[in-house]
Amino acid sequence: MNKNSSERTLSIIKPDAVERELETKIKKIFLDNKLNIVDSKKIQISKEEAEEFYKTHQTKPFYEKLCSYLSSGPIIAIILDGENAIQKNRDLMGATDPKKAKDGTIRKLYGISIDKNSVHGSDSLENAKAEIAFFFN
Ligand code: CDP
Ligand code: MG
């Protein structure tokens, strides 16, 4: 096992999951899969901050709703660290649409709908760095 292949990613427990008190259950899935929790904080962001966070989706039809949603209640931002953490977290999350997510994934277990899908995860090394800096600076 090469230590250098350890990387960091950002997870967010979204408002629907915070509201249903799923923090401990979701964090257990990370820990059980060798993703260490480096830092974690519960916060509520403004609509403007959500727009900044999701700016890569600016042109998408769901952008407005997405930003309203992410700022609608408390969220938990988490830095995960581990071997292949970015892809591993994406695999643990499952498909964007909970209906299409594989059994055992977080979104299959807890997601309500494509917008209320319980978790966010960075999708690349570049985005992971930027997203961690966004919440933990
Ligand atoms: O979160 P993920 O990377 O799986 O999906 P995305 O394509 O980066 O979209 C970001 C978020 O926008 C999703 O997690 C959904 O909450 C939301 N979304 C939506 O509300 N409607 C869609 N048709 C697609 C995405
Ligand atoms: Mg994404």
Side-chain angles (χ1 to χ4, degrees):
M1 234 30 114
N2 182 349
K3 267 192 174 167
N4 295 327
S5 60
S6 172
E7 62 189 17
R8 289 183 173 194
T9 190
L10 184 86
S11 167
I12 298 174
I13 303 180
K14 293 184 177 181
D16 66 277
V18 174
E19 190 175 53
R20 286 176 290 148
E21 300 182 348
L22 294 169
E23 176 179 2
T24 308
K25 283 178 177 160
I26 291 172
K27 284 183 170 175
K28 185 173 188 308
I29 294 174
F30 296 144
L31 297 172
D32 286 348
N33 286 278
K34 294 186 186 167
L35 288 175
N36 300 314
I37 293 170
V38 176
D39 208 344
S40 168
K41 67 177 175 192
K42 188 189 254 188
I43 45 165
Q44 183 159 2
I45 60 172
S46 67
K47 175 94 183 288
E48 290 70 27
E49 287 168 325
E51 286 168 356
E52 174 63 20
F53 180 77
Y54 272 129
K55 63 178 183 244
T56 54
H57 289 307
Q58 231 158 18
T59 58
K60 308 274 174 60
F62 55 83
Y63 180 64
E64 171 67 26
K65 210 174 101 186
L66 173 62
C67 296
S68 296
Y69 174 60
L70 196 71
S71 57
S72 68
I75 59 174
I76 299 164
I78 304 163
I79 301 175
L80 296 173
D81 177 283
E83 192 88 12
N84 201 21
I86 296 167
Q87 188 58 49
K88 190 184 272 183
N89 181 42
R90 297 288 309 184
D91 292 345
L92 293 172
M93 287 162 60
T96 307
D97 183 352
K99 288 200 295 284
K100 294 176 185 159
K102 287 184 187 155
D103 283 350
T105 61
I106 296 169
R107 285 167 165 172
K108 177 73 175 196
L109 286 166
Y110 304 124
I112 295 169
S113 58
I114 194 163
D115 46 326
K116 296 184 176 180
N117 60 5
S118 301
V119 281
H120 165 85
S122 309
D123 62 4
S124 67
L125 197 56
E126 190 190 355
N127 287 339
K129 283 188 179 146
E131 291 179 358
I132 288 169
F134 184 90
F135 283 104
F136 294 91
N137 254 354

